[in-house]
Amino acid sequence: MPVTDVSHDMDTLTLTIVAEFAAPVDRVWQVYADPRQLERVWGPPTYPATFVDHDLSPGGRVTYFMTSPEGEKFAGYWNIVSVDEPTGFTFEDGFAHEDFSPNPAMPVSRNEYRFAPTDGGTRATYTATYASAEGLQQVLDMGVVEGSSSAINQIDELLAR
Amino acid sequence: MTEDDEDRADALFHALADRTRRDIMRRVLAGEHSVSALAARYDMSFAAVQKHVAVLEKAGLLTKRRNGREQLASGDVAAVRSVGSMLTELEQVWRGRIARIDELIATDNALES
C-alpha cells in the first residue's frame, strides 16, 4: 500500500496524505511536470482529467477539466506559488467556470506537495489547507460528487446480482 | 439492523437505483437547484422529474424548500454520508490518484526490464 498516513486536522483545516513510491524523486516530479502523465492520475477513471494550460513555474497557471460519465465538465485551476524542482511545489487550487475563470463561489485551497528521497524511492507528502471550515466542508461535499459515483456504482453491482 | 434501518436501506437503495435520480443527486450535492431548473436538463415531463425528486426526498437524500413559486432542492450531505463515510470517500479520491501514480511508475519499470 503506497499510502502510509492520512490525517484530517479540523483546527488547522488541513488534509495531509503521505505516500511512498518505488521510484526516485525525479520520476515522481515528472508525473506533475508532464501534463499527459498528470491527466492519467488526477481524475478518477470515471472522471478523466484533461489539462489545458500547464505552466509549472512560480506565478504560472495550470487549468484542467474533468469529464463525468454523462459528459458534464468540471473545471479547475492551479495558481503556482513556488517551485523547488524536483522536491516539491506549492499552489492554490480552485474551481473554475467552463472558460477557466475562477469560480469565486467555491473555496480555494492552498496546497503543498513535497517529494523526499527514501531508501527505496520517494516519500510524497500532500497537504491541502482551507481558509475556513465552511470551505473545507464545501470541498468535502464536492468530494461526494466524485466519491458517491463509485459508491453508487457499487450499489448498482449489488442490485445486479 | 432493526426493521426501521432495513426500511431506510430499502428506500436509499431504491432511490439510488435509478440513473436520473443519481444524476439529480450529483447536481443537488454541488448546490441548491430549483426543481424546474433540474427538469430542464432531462428529456421527460416536469411532473416526472418532480416524482424523482419526491422519491429522493422520501429517502432523506435531499431536502426541499419553497422560495416564492419555486421549489428549491438541495442534497442532504448527512444522509449521503450515512451511505458511506464522506471523508472516506474523499480519501479514496486521493488513494486513487496515488494508486494511479504507482501504476504509471510500474509501467516504466516493466518497459526497462
Side-chain angles (χ1 to χ4, degrees), chain A residues 2 21 27 40-43 70 126 137 140 144 146 152 156 158-159, chain B residues 13 17 22 26-27 77 81 86 90 93-95 97 100 102 104-105 108:
Chain A
F21 297 114
R27 178 66 191 93
R40 288 176 60 182
V41 307
W42 189 255
E70 294 80 23
Y126 302 100
Q137 188 63 56
L140 292 174
V144 173
E146 266 184 343
I152 288 167
D156 272 349
L158 196 67
L159 293 173
Chain B
F13 278 64
R22 289 196 298 274
R26 291 191 191 99
R27 264 173 239 295
V77 170
R81 197 185 278 154
M86 190 164 70
L90 181 57
V93 173
W94 284 80
R95 285 183 184 275
R97 283 178 186 153
R100 290 190 290 279
D102 255 4
L104 196 63
I105 289 168
D108 306 345

PDB file of all heavy atoms in Angstrom, chain A residues 2 21 27 40-43 70 126 137 140 144 146 152 156 158-159, chain B residues 13 17 22 26-27 77 81 86 90 93-95 97 100 102 104-105 108:
ATOM      1  N   PRO A   2       0.768   2.047  -1.033  1.00  0.00           N
ATOM      2  CA  PRO A   2       1.633   3.221  -1.105  1.00  0.00           C
ATOM      3  C   PRO A   2       1.253   4.337  -0.142  1.00  0.00           C
ATOM      4  O   PRO A   2       2.089   5.133   0.227  1.00  0.00           O
ATOM      5  CB  PRO A   2       1.496   3.673  -2.563  1.00  0.00           C
ATOM      6  CG  PRO A   2       0.193   3.130  -3.013  1.00  0.00           C
ATOM      7  CD  PRO A   2      -0.067   1.894  -2.224  1.00  0.00           C
ATOM      8  N   PHE A  21       6.514   5.915  -2.884  1.00  0.00           N
ATOM      9  CA  PHE A  21       6.578   5.406  -4.249  1.00  0.00           C
ATOM     10  C   PHE A  21       7.915   4.711  -4.488  1.00  0.00           C
ATOM     11  O   PHE A  21       8.946   5.176  -3.996  1.00  0.00           O
ATOM     12  CB  PHE A  21       6.421   6.537  -5.268  1.00  0.00           C
ATOM     13  CG  PHE A  21       5.085   7.226  -5.195  1.00  0.00           C
ATOM     14  CD1 PHE A  21       4.994   8.543  -4.793  1.00  0.00           C
ATOM     15  CD2 PHE A  21       3.921   6.535  -5.513  1.00  0.00           C
ATOM     16  CE1 PHE A  21       3.762   9.176  -4.716  1.00  0.00           C
ATOM     17  CE2 PHE A  21       2.686   7.163  -5.440  1.00  0.00           C
ATOM     18  CZ  PHE A  21       2.608   8.484  -5.043  1.00  0.00           C
ATOM     19  N   ARG A  27      11.495  10.961 -10.886  1.00  0.00           N
ATOM     20  CA  ARG A  27      10.416  10.278 -11.608  1.00  0.00           C
ATOM     21  C   ARG A  27       9.044  10.753 -11.136  1.00  0.00           C
ATOM     22  O   ARG A  27       8.134  10.972 -11.940  1.00  0.00           O
ATOM     23  CB  ARG A  27      10.556   8.751 -11.440  1.00  0.00           C
ATOM     24  CG  ARG A  27       9.458   7.959 -12.108  1.00  0.00           C
ATOM     25  CD  ARG A  27       9.503   8.093 -13.630  1.00  0.00           C
ATOM     26  NE  ARG A  27       8.322   7.557 -14.295  1.00  0.00           N
ATOM     27  CZ  ARG A  27       7.257   8.290 -14.616  1.00  0.00           C
ATOM     28  NH1 ARG A  27       7.222   9.575 -14.322  1.00  0.00           N
ATOM     29  NH2 ARG A  27       6.226   7.735 -15.228  1.00  0.00           N
ATOM     30  N   ARG A  40      -3.359  11.333 -16.424  1.00  0.00           N
ATOM     31  CA  ARG A  40      -3.615   9.899 -16.185  1.00  0.00           C
ATOM     32  C   ARG A  40      -3.813   9.590 -14.713  1.00  0.00           C
ATOM     33  O   ARG A  40      -4.310   8.517 -14.366  1.00  0.00           O
ATOM     34  CB  ARG A  40      -2.449   9.059 -16.738  1.00  0.00           C
ATOM     35  CG  ARG A  40      -2.449   9.039 -18.268  1.00  0.00           C
ATOM     36  CD  ARG A  40      -1.271   8.301 -18.819  1.00  0.00           C
ATOM     37  NE  ARG A  40      -1.228   6.910 -18.375  1.00  0.00           N
ATOM     38  CZ  ARG A  40      -0.253   6.071 -18.696  1.00  0.00           C
ATOM     39  NH1 ARG A  40       0.746   6.492 -19.461  1.00  0.00           N
ATOM     40  NH2 ARG A  40      -0.279   4.838 -18.273  1.00  0.00           N
ATOM     41  N   VAL A  41      -3.389  10.520 -13.834  1.00  0.00           N
ATOM     42  CA  VAL A  41      -3.512  10.234 -12.403  1.00  0.00           C
ATOM     43  C   VAL A  41      -4.492  11.154 -11.675  1.00  0.00           C
ATOM     44  O   VAL A  41      -4.924  10.844 -10.574  1.00  0.00           O
ATOM     45  CB  VAL A  41      -2.141  10.296 -11.673  1.00  0.00           C
ATOM     46  CG1 VAL A  41      -1.134   9.388 -12.374  1.00  0.00           C
ATOM     47  CG2 VAL A  41      -1.604  11.707 -11.566  1.00  0.00           C
ATOM     48  N   TRP A  42      -4.844  12.306 -12.268  1.00  0.00           N
ATOM     49  CA  TRP A  42      -5.593  13.317 -11.496  1.00  0.00           C
ATOM     50  C   TRP A  42      -7.062  12.954 -11.320  1.00  0.00           C
ATOM     51  O   TRP A  42      -7.592  12.974 -10.221  1.00  0.00           O
ATOM     52  CB  TRP A  42      -5.429  14.698 -12.147  1.00  0.00           C
ATOM     53  CG  TRP A  42      -5.989  15.777 -11.299  1.00  0.00           C
ATOM     54  CD1 TRP A  42      -7.158  16.456 -11.505  1.00  0.00           C
ATOM     55  CD2 TRP A  42      -5.434  16.298 -10.084  1.00  0.00           C
ATOM     56  NE1 TRP A  42      -7.357  17.364 -10.499  1.00  0.00           N
ATOM     57  CE2 TRP A  42      -6.320  17.286  -9.617  1.00  0.00           C
ATOM     58  CE3 TRP A  42      -4.274  16.015  -9.351  1.00  0.00           C
ATOM     59  CZ2 TRP A  42      -6.075  17.999  -8.445  1.00  0.00           C
ATOM     60  CZ3 TRP A  42      -4.039  16.716  -8.186  1.00  0.00           C
ATOM     61  CH2 TRP A  42      -4.927  17.701  -7.743  1.00  0.00           C
ATOM     62  N   GLY A  43      -7.748  12.647 -12.404  1.00  0.00           N
ATOM     63  CA  GLY A  43      -9.175  12.335 -12.286  1.00  0.00           C
ATOM     64  C   GLY A  43      -9.385  10.852 -12.070  1.00  0.00           C
ATOM     65  O   GLY A  43      -8.597  10.043 -12.550  1.00  0.00           O
ATOM     66  N   GLU A  70     -21.519  11.279 -17.819  1.00  0.00           N
ATOM     67  CA  GLU A  70     -22.591  11.840 -18.645  1.00  0.00           C
ATOM     68  C   GLU A  70     -22.077  12.939 -19.575  1.00  0.00           C
ATOM     69  O   GLU A  70     -22.853  13.567 -20.286  1.00  0.00           O
ATOM     70  CB  GLU A  70     -23.703  12.420 -17.755  1.00  0.00           C
ATOM     71  CG  GLU A  70     -24.447  11.383 -16.928  1.00  0.00           C
ATOM     72  CD  GLU A  70     -23.675  10.962 -15.671  1.00  0.00           C
ATOM     73  OE1 GLU A  70     -22.821  11.754 -15.228  1.00  0.00           O
ATOM     74  OE2 GLU A  70     -23.912   9.854 -15.163  1.00  0.00           O
ATOM     75  N   TYR A 126       1.444  15.264   0.742  1.00  0.00           N
ATOM     76  CA  TYR A 126       0.489  16.176   0.117  1.00  0.00           C
ATOM     77  C   TYR A 126      -0.325  16.850   1.211  1.00  0.00           C
ATOM     78  O   TYR A 126      -0.964  16.162   1.997  1.00  0.00           O
ATOM     79  CB  TYR A 126      -0.474  15.406  -0.787  1.00  0.00           C
ATOM     80  CG  TYR A 126       0.179  14.599  -1.891  1.00  0.00           C
ATOM     81  CD1 TYR A 126       0.364  13.224  -1.754  1.00  0.00           C
ATOM     82  CD2 TYR A 126       0.585  15.211  -3.077  1.00  0.00           C
ATOM     83  CE1 TYR A 126       0.946  12.476  -2.784  1.00  0.00           C
ATOM     84  CE2 TYR A 126       1.168  14.477  -4.103  1.00  0.00           C
ATOM     85  CZ  TYR A 126       1.346  13.108  -3.952  1.00  0.00           C
ATOM     86  OH  TYR A 126       1.921  12.379  -4.964  1.00  0.00           O
ATOM     87  N   GLN A 137     -15.570  22.038   4.347  1.00  0.00           N
ATOM     88  CA  GLN A 137     -16.780  21.223   4.279  1.00  0.00           C
ATOM     89  C   GLN A 137     -17.338  21.207   2.854  1.00  0.00           C
ATOM     90  O   GLN A 137     -17.767  20.171   2.344  1.00  0.00           O
ATOM     91  CB  GLN A 137     -17.835  21.775   5.255  1.00  0.00           C
ATOM     92  CG  GLN A 137     -19.054  20.881   5.406  1.00  0.00           C
ATOM     93  CD  GLN A 137     -18.674  19.522   5.992  1.00  0.00           C
ATOM     94  OE1 GLN A 137     -18.077  19.455   7.063  1.00  0.00           O
ATOM     95  NE2 GLN A 137     -18.984  18.451   5.283  1.00  0.00           N
ATOM     96  N   LEU A 140     -15.309  18.941   0.794  1.00  0.00           N
ATOM     97  CA  LEU A 140     -15.625  17.554   1.164  1.00  0.00           C
ATOM     98  C   LEU A 140     -16.971  17.172   0.555  1.00  0.00           C
ATOM     99  O   LEU A 140     -17.151  16.057   0.056  1.00  0.00           O
ATOM    100  CB  LEU A 140     -15.657  17.394   2.685  1.00  0.00           C
ATOM    101  CG  LEU A 140     -14.304  17.529   3.394  1.00  0.00           C
ATOM    102  CD1 LEU A 140     -14.486  17.491   4.904  1.00  0.00           C
ATOM    103  CD2 LEU A 140     -13.337  16.435   2.953  1.00  0.00           C
ATOM    104  N   VAL A 144     -17.948  14.239  -2.523  1.00  0.00           N
ATOM    105  CA  VAL A 144     -19.012  13.241  -2.623  1.00  0.00           C
ATOM    106  C   VAL A 144     -19.473  13.109  -4.074  1.00  0.00           C
ATOM    107  O   VAL A 144     -19.850  12.038  -4.517  1.00  0.00           O
ATOM    108  CB  VAL A 144     -20.184  13.609  -1.691  1.00  0.00           C
ATOM    109  CG1 VAL A 144     -21.362  12.676  -1.911  1.00  0.00           C
ATOM    110  CG2 VAL A 144     -19.725  13.553  -0.256  1.00  0.00           C
ATOM    111  N   GLU A 146     -17.634  13.178  -6.678  1.00  0.00           N
ATOM    112  CA  GLU A 146     -16.735  12.176  -7.259  1.00  0.00           C
ATOM    113  C   GLU A 146     -16.916  10.833  -6.563  1.00  0.00           C
ATOM    114  O   GLU A 146     -17.085   9.816  -7.195  1.00  0.00           O
ATOM    115  CB  GLU A 146     -15.276  12.580  -7.001  1.00  0.00           C
ATOM    116  CG  GLU A 146     -14.624  13.351  -8.098  1.00  0.00           C
ATOM    117  CD  GLU A 146     -13.161  13.606  -7.755  1.00  0.00           C
ATOM    118  OE1 GLU A 146     -12.771  13.479  -6.583  1.00  0.00           O
ATOM    119  OE2 GLU A 146     -12.413  13.926  -8.677  1.00  0.00           O
ATOM    120  N   ILE A 152     -22.015   4.639  -5.566  1.00  0.00           N
ATOM    121  CA  ILE A 152     -23.275   4.324  -6.230  1.00  0.00           C
ATOM    122  C   ILE A 152     -23.084   3.198  -7.238  1.00  0.00           C
ATOM    123  O   ILE A 152     -23.945   2.341  -7.391  1.00  0.00           O
ATOM    124  CB  ILE A 152     -23.866   5.606  -6.862  1.00  0.00           C
ATOM    125  CG1 ILE A 152     -24.383   6.514  -5.744  1.00  0.00           C
ATOM    126  CG2 ILE A 152     -24.966   5.283  -7.854  1.00  0.00           C
ATOM    127  CD1 ILE A 152     -24.710   7.914  -6.181  1.00  0.00           C
ATOM    128  N   ASP A 156     -25.040  -0.295  -7.674  1.00  0.00           N
ATOM    129  CA  ASP A 156     -25.510  -0.871  -8.945  1.00  0.00           C
ATOM    130  C   ASP A 156     -25.119  -2.349  -9.041  1.00  0.00           C
ATOM    131  O   ASP A 156     -25.926  -3.188  -9.423  1.00  0.00           O
ATOM    132  CB  ASP A 156     -24.881  -0.140 -10.134  1.00  0.00           C
ATOM    133  CG  ASP A 156     -25.703   1.070 -10.540  1.00  0.00           C
ATOM    134  OD1 ASP A 156     -26.834   1.201 -10.033  1.00  0.00           O
ATOM    135  OD2 ASP A 156     -25.206   1.862 -11.347  1.00  0.00           O
ATOM    136  N   LEU A 158     -24.401  -4.391  -6.654  1.00  0.00           N
ATOM    137  CA  LEU A 158     -25.145  -5.156  -5.660  1.00  0.00           C
ATOM    138  C   LEU A 158     -26.538  -5.501  -6.190  1.00  0.00           C
ATOM    139  O   LEU A 158     -27.009  -6.632  -6.069  1.00  0.00           O
ATOM    140  CB  LEU A 158     -25.244  -4.308  -4.388  1.00  0.00           C
ATOM    141  CG  LEU A 158     -25.646  -5.001  -3.112  1.00  0.00           C
ATOM    142  CD1 LEU A 158     -24.555  -5.966  -2.686  1.00  0.00           C
ATOM    143  CD2 LEU A 158     -25.880  -3.977  -2.013  1.00  0.00           C
ATOM    144  N   LEU A 159     -27.168  -4.488  -6.822  1.00  0.00           N
ATOM    145  CA  LEU A 159     -28.533  -4.696  -7.311  1.00  0.00           C
ATOM    146  C   LEU A 159     -28.560  -5.634  -8.498  1.00  0.00           C
ATOM    147  O   LEU A 159     -29.557  -6.289  -8.756  1.00  0.00           O
ATOM    148  CB  LEU A 159     -29.161  -3.353  -7.701  1.00  0.00           C
ATOM    149  CG  LEU A 159     -29.420  -2.404  -6.542  1.00  0.00           C
ATOM    150  CD1 LEU A 159     -29.874  -1.058  -7.069  1.00  0.00           C
ATOM    151  CD2 LEU A 159     -30.454  -2.968  -5.587  1.00  0.00           C
TER     152      LEU A 159
ATOM    153  N   PHE B  13     -31.526   2.492  -1.326  1.00  0.00           N
ATOM    154  CA  PHE B  13     -31.105   1.708  -2.485  1.00  0.00           C
ATOM    155  C   PHE B  13     -32.090   1.886  -3.643  1.00  0.00           C
ATOM    156  O   PHE B  13     -31.688   2.049  -4.789  1.00  0.00           O
ATOM    157  CB  PHE B  13     -30.968   0.219  -2.117  1.00  0.00           C
ATOM    158  CG  PHE B  13     -29.651  -0.098  -1.469  1.00  0.00           C
ATOM    159  CD1 PHE B  13     -29.305   0.441  -0.238  1.00  0.00           C
ATOM    160  CD2 PHE B  13     -28.737  -0.920  -2.104  1.00  0.00           C
ATOM    161  CE1 PHE B  13     -28.093   0.169   0.345  1.00  0.00           C
ATOM    162  CE2 PHE B  13     -27.507  -1.193  -1.518  1.00  0.00           C
ATOM    163  CZ  PHE B  13     -27.183  -0.649  -0.286  1.00  0.00           C
ATOM    164  N   ALA B  17     -31.097   3.570  -7.274  1.00  0.00           N
ATOM    165  CA  ALA B  17     -31.012   2.547  -8.324  1.00  0.00           C
ATOM    166  C   ALA B  17     -31.401   3.114  -9.693  1.00  0.00           C
ATOM    167  O   ALA B  17     -31.326   2.423 -10.692  1.00  0.00           O
ATOM    168  CB  ALA B  17     -31.907   1.351  -7.982  1.00  0.00           C
ATOM    169  N   ARG B  22     -29.770   9.404  -9.644  1.00  0.00           N
ATOM    170  CA  ARG B  22     -28.349   9.568  -9.274  1.00  0.00           C
ATOM    171  C   ARG B  22     -27.814  10.878  -9.852  1.00  0.00           C
ATOM    172  O   ARG B  22     -27.062  11.596  -9.209  1.00  0.00           O
ATOM    173  CB  ARG B  22     -27.511   8.388  -9.789  1.00  0.00           C
ATOM    174  CG  ARG B  22     -27.776   7.085  -9.057  1.00  0.00           C
ATOM    175  CD  ARG B  22     -26.681   6.064  -9.331  1.00  0.00           C
ATOM    176  NE  ARG B  22     -26.582   5.684 -10.724  1.00  0.00           N
ATOM    177  CZ  ARG B  22     -27.296   4.711 -11.308  1.00  0.00           C
ATOM    178  NH1 ARG B  22     -28.175   4.026 -10.605  1.00  0.00           N
ATOM    179  NH2 ARG B  22     -27.122   4.433 -12.576  1.00  0.00           N
ATOM    180  N   ARG B  26     -26.177  14.125  -7.858  1.00  0.00           N
ATOM    181  CA  ARG B  26     -24.877  14.761  -8.107  1.00  0.00           C
ATOM    182  C   ARG B  26     -25.044  16.278  -8.199  1.00  0.00           C
ATOM    183  O   ARG B  26     -24.238  17.033  -7.686  1.00  0.00           O
ATOM    184  CB  ARG B  26     -24.252  14.226  -9.390  1.00  0.00           C
ATOM    185  CG  ARG B  26     -23.823  12.778  -9.269  1.00  0.00           C
ATOM    186  CD  ARG B  26     -22.975  12.332 -10.451  1.00  0.00           C
ATOM    187  NE  ARG B  26     -22.834  10.880 -10.387  1.00  0.00           N
ATOM    188  CZ  ARG B  26     -23.566  10.029 -11.109  1.00  0.00           C
ATOM    189  NH1 ARG B  26     -24.446  10.479 -11.986  1.00  0.00           N
ATOM    190  NH2 ARG B  26     -23.388   8.739 -10.983  1.00  0.00           N
ATOM    191  N   ARG B  27     -26.131  16.692  -8.867  1.00  0.00           N
ATOM    192  CA  ARG B  27     -26.371  18.126  -9.028  1.00  0.00           C
ATOM    193  C   ARG B  27     -26.709  18.820  -7.714  1.00  0.00           C
ATOM    194  O   ARG B  27     -26.161  19.876  -7.408  1.00  0.00           O
ATOM    195  CB  ARG B  27     -27.539  18.341  -9.985  1.00  0.00           C
ATOM    196  CG  ARG B  27     -27.123  18.600 -11.371  1.00  0.00           C
ATOM    197  CD  ARG B  27     -28.322  18.633 -12.283  1.00  0.00           C
ATOM    198  NE  ARG B  27     -28.111  17.612 -13.278  1.00  0.00           N
ATOM    199  CZ  ARG B  27     -27.137  17.673 -14.154  1.00  0.00           C
ATOM    200  NH1 ARG B  27     -26.338  18.701 -14.194  1.00  0.00           N
ATOM    201  NH2 ARG B  27     -26.958  16.704 -14.995  1.00  0.00           N
ATOM    202  N   VAL B  77     -26.243  16.167   2.688  1.00  0.00           N
ATOM    203  CA  VAL B  77     -24.937  15.529   2.754  1.00  0.00           C
ATOM    204  C   VAL B  77     -24.874  14.533   3.913  1.00  0.00           C
ATOM    205  O   VAL B  77     -24.290  13.464   3.800  1.00  0.00           O
ATOM    206  CB  VAL B  77     -23.838  16.606   2.872  1.00  0.00           C
ATOM    207  CG1 VAL B  77     -22.509  15.970   3.198  1.00  0.00           C
ATOM    208  CG2 VAL B  77     -23.755  17.387   1.579  1.00  0.00           C
ATOM    209  N   ARG B  81     -23.756  10.787   3.625  1.00  0.00           N
ATOM    210  CA  ARG B  81     -22.663  10.284   4.455  1.00  0.00           C
ATOM    211  C   ARG B  81     -23.067   8.972   5.120  1.00  0.00           C
ATOM    212  O   ARG B  81     -22.235   8.118   5.374  1.00  0.00           O
ATOM    213  CB  ARG B  81     -22.331  11.334   5.511  1.00  0.00           C
ATOM    214  CG  ARG B  81     -20.994  11.142   6.176  1.00  0.00           C
ATOM    215  CD  ARG B  81     -20.831  12.148   7.275  1.00  0.00           C
ATOM    216  NE  ARG B  81     -20.380  13.435   6.786  1.00  0.00           N
ATOM    217  CZ  ARG B  81     -20.609  14.587   7.401  1.00  0.00           C
ATOM    218  NH1 ARG B  81     -21.333  14.611   8.495  1.00  0.00           N
ATOM    219  NH2 ARG B  81     -20.144  15.698   6.914  1.00  0.00           N
ATOM    220  N   MET B  86     -18.286  10.153   4.230  1.00  0.00           N
ATOM    221  CA  MET B  86     -17.872  11.119   3.224  1.00  0.00           C
ATOM    222  C   MET B  86     -16.355  11.326   3.221  1.00  0.00           C
ATOM    223  O   MET B  86     -15.723  11.426   2.174  1.00  0.00           O
ATOM    224  CB  MET B  86     -18.568  12.447   3.501  1.00  0.00           C
ATOM    225  CG  MET B  86     -18.391  13.449   2.399  1.00  0.00           C
ATOM    226  SD  MET B  86     -19.591  14.765   2.562  1.00  0.00           S
ATOM    227  CE  MET B  86     -18.989  15.573   4.018  1.00  0.00           C
ATOM    228  N   LEU B  90     -13.634  10.888   0.170  1.00  0.00           N
ATOM    229  CA  LEU B  90     -12.668  11.878  -0.315  1.00  0.00           C
ATOM    230  C   LEU B  90     -11.261  11.294  -0.265  1.00  0.00           C
ATOM    231  O   LEU B  90     -10.456  11.467  -1.180  1.00  0.00           O
ATOM    232  CB  LEU B  90     -12.745  13.156   0.531  1.00  0.00           C
ATOM    233  CG  LEU B  90     -11.793  14.270   0.107  1.00  0.00           C
ATOM    234  CD1 LEU B  90     -12.014  14.659  -1.345  1.00  0.00           C
ATOM    235  CD2 LEU B  90     -11.950  15.473   0.999  1.00  0.00           C
ATOM    236  N   VAL B  93     -10.473   9.318  -3.209  1.00  0.00           N
ATOM    237  CA  VAL B  93     -10.046  10.072  -4.392  1.00  0.00           C
ATOM    238  C   VAL B  93      -8.515  10.194  -4.382  1.00  0.00           C
ATOM    239  O   VAL B  93      -7.844   9.963  -5.386  1.00  0.00           O
ATOM    240  CB  VAL B  93     -10.706  11.467  -4.416  1.00  0.00           C
ATOM    241  CG1 VAL B  93     -10.134  12.320  -5.550  1.00  0.00           C
ATOM    242  CG2 VAL B  93     -12.224  11.347  -4.569  1.00  0.00           C
ATOM    243  N   TRP B  94      -7.979  10.543  -3.208  1.00  0.00           N
ATOM    244  CA  TRP B  94      -6.520  10.655  -3.060  1.00  0.00           C
ATOM    245  C   TRP B  94      -5.856   9.307  -3.246  1.00  0.00           C
ATOM    246  O   TRP B  94      -4.848   9.193  -3.929  1.00  0.00           O
ATOM    247  CB  TRP B  94      -6.176  11.204  -1.669  1.00  0.00           C
ATOM    248  CG  TRP B  94      -6.408  12.658  -1.516  1.00  0.00           C
ATOM    249  CD1 TRP B  94      -7.604  13.268  -1.291  1.00  0.00           C
ATOM    250  CD2 TRP B  94      -5.427  13.690  -1.584  1.00  0.00           C
ATOM    251  NE1 TRP B  94      -7.406  14.609  -1.211  1.00  0.00           N
ATOM    252  CE2 TRP B  94      -6.105  14.899  -1.371  1.00  0.00           C
ATOM    253  CE3 TRP B  94      -4.050  13.700  -1.785  1.00  0.00           C
ATOM    254  CZ2 TRP B  94      -5.436  16.118  -1.362  1.00  0.00           C
ATOM    255  CZ3 TRP B  94      -3.394  14.911  -1.774  1.00  0.00           C
ATOM    256  CH2 TRP B  94      -4.074  16.105  -1.570  1.00  0.00           C
ATOM    257  N   ARG B  95      -6.428   8.306  -2.622  1.00  0.00           N
ATOM    258  CA  ARG B  95      -5.834   6.963  -2.762  1.00  0.00           C
ATOM    259  C   ARG B  95      -5.845   6.525  -4.214  1.00  0.00           C
ATOM    260  O   ARG B  95      -4.904   5.885  -4.673  1.00  0.00           O
ATOM    261  CB  ARG B  95      -6.591   5.944  -1.891  1.00  0.00           C
ATOM    262  CG  ARG B  95      -6.279   6.064  -0.416  1.00  0.00           C
ATOM    263  CD  ARG B  95      -6.988   4.979   0.382  1.00  0.00           C
ATOM    264  NE  ARG B  95      -6.764   5.140   1.802  1.00  0.00           N
ATOM    265  CZ  ARG B  95      -5.706   4.665   2.465  1.00  0.00           C
ATOM    266  NH1 ARG B  95      -4.767   3.991   1.820  1.00  0.00           N
ATOM    267  NH2 ARG B  95      -5.573   4.861   3.753  1.00  0.00           N
ATOM    268  N   ARG B  97      -5.640   8.491  -6.858  1.00  0.00           N
ATOM    269  CA  ARG B  97      -4.560   9.200  -7.561  1.00  0.00           C
ATOM    270  C   ARG B  97      -3.220   8.541  -7.286  1.00  0.00           C
ATOM    271  O   ARG B  97      -2.405   8.355  -8.190  1.00  0.00           O
ATOM    272  CB  ARG B  97      -4.483  10.652  -7.084  1.00  0.00           C
ATOM    273  CG  ARG B  97      -5.556  11.508  -7.674  1.00  0.00           C
ATOM    274  CD  ARG B  97      -5.487  12.917  -7.147  1.00  0.00           C
ATOM    275  NE  ARG B  97      -6.640  13.645  -7.650  1.00  0.00           N
ATOM    276  CZ  ARG B  97      -7.205  14.673  -7.047  1.00  0.00           C
ATOM    277  NH1 ARG B  97      -6.713  15.125  -5.905  1.00  0.00           N
ATOM    278  NH2 ARG B  97      -8.238  15.266  -7.580  1.00  0.00           N
ATOM    279  N   ARG B 100      -2.782   5.328  -9.039  1.00  0.00           N
ATOM    280  CA  ARG B 100      -2.522   5.511 -10.470  1.00  0.00           C
ATOM    281  C   ARG B 100      -1.077   5.960 -10.714  1.00  0.00           C
ATOM    282  O   ARG B 100      -0.477   5.604 -11.726  1.00  0.00           O
ATOM    283  CB  ARG B 100      -3.545   6.475 -11.085  1.00  0.00           C
ATOM    284  CG  ARG B 100      -4.945   5.858 -11.159  1.00  0.00           C
ATOM    285  CD  ARG B 100      -5.909   6.687 -11.981  1.00  0.00           C
ATOM    286  NE  ARG B 100      -6.279   7.943 -11.355  1.00  0.00           N
ATOM    287  CZ  ARG B 100      -7.206   8.077 -10.412  1.00  0.00           C
ATOM    288  NH1 ARG B 100      -7.860   7.024  -9.957  1.00  0.00           N
ATOM    289  NH2 ARG B 100      -7.490   9.262  -9.922  1.00  0.00           N
ATOM    290  N   ASP B 102       1.392   4.989  -8.865  1.00  0.00           N
ATOM    291  CA  ASP B 102       2.092   3.703  -8.708  1.00  0.00           C
ATOM    292  C   ASP B 102       2.058   2.892 -10.005  1.00  0.00           C
ATOM    293  O   ASP B 102       3.068   2.337 -10.425  1.00  0.00           O
ATOM    294  CB  ASP B 102       1.420   2.879  -7.600  1.00  0.00           C
ATOM    295  CG  ASP B 102       2.234   2.876  -6.324  1.00  0.00           C
ATOM    296  OD1 ASP B 102       3.264   3.569  -6.284  1.00  0.00           O
ATOM    297  OD2 ASP B 102       1.824   2.187  -5.379  1.00  0.00           O
ATOM    298  N   LEU B 104       1.591   4.026 -13.038  1.00  0.00           N
ATOM    299  CA  LEU B 104       2.366   4.728 -14.064  1.00  0.00           C
ATOM    300  C   LEU B 104       3.848   4.403 -13.899  1.00  0.00           C
ATOM    301  O   LEU B 104       4.550   4.111 -14.866  1.00  0.00           O
ATOM    302  CB  LEU B 104       2.116   6.231 -13.908  1.00  0.00           C
ATOM    303  CG  LEU B 104       2.493   7.179 -15.036  1.00  0.00           C
ATOM    304  CD1 LEU B 104       1.679   6.857 -16.275  1.00  0.00           C
ATOM    305  CD2 LEU B 104       2.234   8.613 -14.599  1.00  0.00           C
ATOM    306  N   ILE B 105       4.308   4.409 -12.651  1.00  0.00           N
ATOM    307  CA  ILE B 105       5.719   4.119 -12.357  1.00  0.00           C
ATOM    308  C   ILE B 105       6.034   2.652 -12.675  1.00  0.00           C
ATOM    309  O   ILE B 105       7.085   2.347 -13.234  1.00  0.00           O
ATOM    310  CB  ILE B 105       6.023   4.471 -10.883  1.00  0.00           C
ATOM    311  CG1 ILE B 105       6.022   5.999 -10.719  1.00  0.00           C
ATOM    312  CG2 ILE B 105       7.337   3.862 -10.418  1.00  0.00           C
ATOM    313  CD1 ILE B 105       6.025   6.461  -9.283  1.00  0.00           C
ATOM    314  N   ASP B 108       6.854   2.092 -16.331  1.00  0.00           N
ATOM    315  CA  ASP B 108       8.264   2.386 -16.706  1.00  0.00           C
ATOM    316  C   ASP B 108       9.143   1.193 -16.399  1.00  0.00           C
ATOM    317  O   ASP B 108       9.978   0.795 -17.197  1.00  0.00           O
ATOM    318  CB  ASP B 108       8.923   3.486 -15.868  1.00  0.00           C
ATOM    319  CG  ASP B 108       8.182   4.773 -15.815  1.00  0.00           C
ATOM    320  OD1 ASP B 108       7.293   4.957 -16.630  1.00  0.00           O
ATOM    321  OD2 ASP B 108       8.552   5.587 -14.962  1.00  0.00           O
TER     322      ASP B 108
END
